[in-house]
Amino acid sequence: MILVTGGAGFIGANFVLDWLAQTEEPVVNLDKLTYAGNLETLASLTGDARHVFVQGDIADAARVDALLARHRPRAVVNFAAESHVDRSIHGPGEFIQTNVLGTFHLLESVRGYWNGLPAAEQAAFRFLHVSTDEVYGTLSATDPAFTEQNRYEPNSPYSASKAASDHLVRAWAHTYGLPVLTTNCSNNYGPYQFPEKLIPLMIVNALAGKPLPVYGDGMQVRDWLYVGDHCSAIRRVLEAGRVGETYNVGGWNEKPNIAIVRTICALLDELRPRADGRPYAEQISYVTDRPGHDRRYAIDARRIERELGWRPAETFDTGIRKTVEWYLAHEPWVRNVQSGAYRDWVAKHYGA
């Protein structure tokens, strides 16, 4: 049995679905069900005894302590986080509460549980903390990609809160001996992503005939990682990663945002042409850049390949096609997550 936190969010839910497709080992899934948590993503697991869902907060020590005592997991995989930079700019408090204080309380609960395990179970136990490449700051066009040795230089409330959580995990390993693993991933995309992030937002807006808002000049560069590849990397790190180490997980796909948007438009032109026959690219609309927007992220993922034999299976071309096709085939799921609160948020961030 493993305990997954944040397992109803985008990456966490994909991980739970992928885990139970790959193994018979049960999952206890703890999620607070904030706006980005969606049980509909996990609907295929209804009635599956291997999946135990519990609504709760990682900062609720009593709830977490009870789950650990009852289910006695051999590992905890921590996805629980507030994760959107734009939201962190407008409301940083929730990011500090979840990403910093939440991680602290979770670590303390796990430490108490781990201390009570028999020696053999202590040695086998793992706490895997899922983090982001944004903790490393920004790169120029000519800088080498981030390695695990890059110093932390977070530039947004979101990345600062994740950097703080990474430091807590490291400290609990160094001070208390907790057997931890940390992964720092690049931009994820794929099925079940809440349409506040770039790729699903562009798909949803394009199909609705709305503007496709692109920040600034659109030349901010990111490395893009298909979520299924990220899930396989986490499984591999949990299986064979060296205790106390950090592994960068990337897709080897550096692309500027405007290129991503134009690729989506071209795929939609092919797969779901506009009724008027015009190209979706006509809907692209440049909007004022967000404050402190990092120019470039890039992940050097050679360590995980060298030590653990992992490489992404998807190229960007194969992954983005799968993603667009998934959104076209799952329009009811998309409609159901687009509440009034979501529409208000889009208007606030990108203008009417």
Side-chain angles (χ1 to χ4, degrees), residues 155-319:
N155 291 320
S156 70
Y158 161 61
S159 57
S161 68
K162 286 299 290 183
S165 70
D166 292 6
H167 289 318
L168 290 173
V169 170
R170 175 185 171 87
W172 261 241
H174 184 79
T175 300
Y176 302 113
L178 190 68
V180 307
L181 299 156
T182 299
T183 56
N184 293 86
C185 70
S186 56
N187 279 36
N188 278 225
Y189 69 100
Y192 300 111
Q193 188 169 29
F194 189 76
E196 64 182 357
K197 301 295 178 73
L198 177 68
I199 288 175
L201 178 67
M202 295 301 115
I203 297 170
V204 167
N205 276 19
L207 295 174
K210 296 178 180 179
L212 308 181
V214 176
Y215 279 137
D217 62 2
M219 293 305 294
Q220 301 87 1
V221 174
R222 302 291 183 262
D223 174 66
W224 293 91
L225 174 66
Y226 188 68
V227 68
D229 283 330
H230 189 194
C231 293
S232 71
I234 293 169
R235 287 202 318 274
R236 182 59 182 152
V237 172
L238 185 61
E239 176 185 47
R242 289 189 291 138
V243 170
E245 294 297 334
T246 294
Y247 294 91
N248 282 352
V249 184
W252 298 108
N253 292 305
E254 276 192 69
K255 294 185 181 294
N257 287 344
I258 189 60
I260 301 297
V261 176
R262 293 192 181 279
T263 298
I264 292 168
C265 289
L267 284 169
L268 290 174
D269 288 340
E270 171 194 342
L271 299 170
R272 184 72 62 82
R274 277 175 38 164
D276 62 5
R278 305 293 297 175
Y280 282 99
E282 289 186 350
Q283 295 169 226
I284 294 173
S285 174
Y286 292 90
V287 299
T288 302
D289 208 353
R290 72 183 179 208
H293 200 170
D294 288 341
R295 194 64 174 171
R296 173 176 169 245
Y297 305 141
I299 280 282
D300 182 334
R302 286 179 294 180
R303 180 184 207 179
I304 191 173
E305 179 178 4
R306 182 177 65 250
E307 295 187 11
L308 304 181
W310 179 88
R311 273 190 67 86
E314 302 291 344
T315 65
F316 185 75
D317 288 342
T318 62

Side-chain angles (χ1 to χ4, degrees), residues 38 40 191-193 195 200 203-209 268 271-273 280 323-339:
N38 188 356
E40 192 175 344
Y192 300 111
Q193 188 169 29
I203 297 170
V204 167
N205 276 19
L207 295 174
L268 290 174
L271 299 170
R272 184 72 62 82
Y280 282 99
T323 300
V324 172
E325 289 175 343
W326 186 91
Y327 278 90
L328 292 176
H330 293 82
E331 291 183 41
W333 183 93
V334 176
R335 283 196 303 271
N336 290 344
V337 301
Q338 291 181 279
S339 66

Side-chain angles (χ1 to χ4, degrees), residues 12 56 89 103-104 113 124-125 131 134 181 200 222 233 250-251 268 273 333 351:
I89 292 170
T103 300
F104 160 71
Y113 164 73
F125 182 83
S131 191
E134 297 190 37
L181 299 156
R222 302 291 183 262
L268 290 174
W333 183 93

Side-chain angles (χ1 to χ4, degrees), residues 3-6 28-32 54-73 75-76 78 80 101-114 125 127:
L3 171 64
V4 172
T5 68
V28 176
N29 183 351
L30 176 68
D31 196 291
K32 190 177 179 181
V54 179
Q55 183 174 356
D57 189 339
I58 57 172
D60 183 346
R63 174 64 61 88
V64 176
D65 290 348
L67 286 176
L68 293 169
R70 178 180 178 184
H71 295 286
R72 298 183 63 82
V76 174
N78 180 35
L101 295 176
T103 300
F104 160 71
H105 287 295
L106 179 63
L107 284 166
E108 280 293 85
S109 291
V110 170
R111 180 168 71 94
Y113 164 73
W114 175 74
F125 182 83
F127 179 93

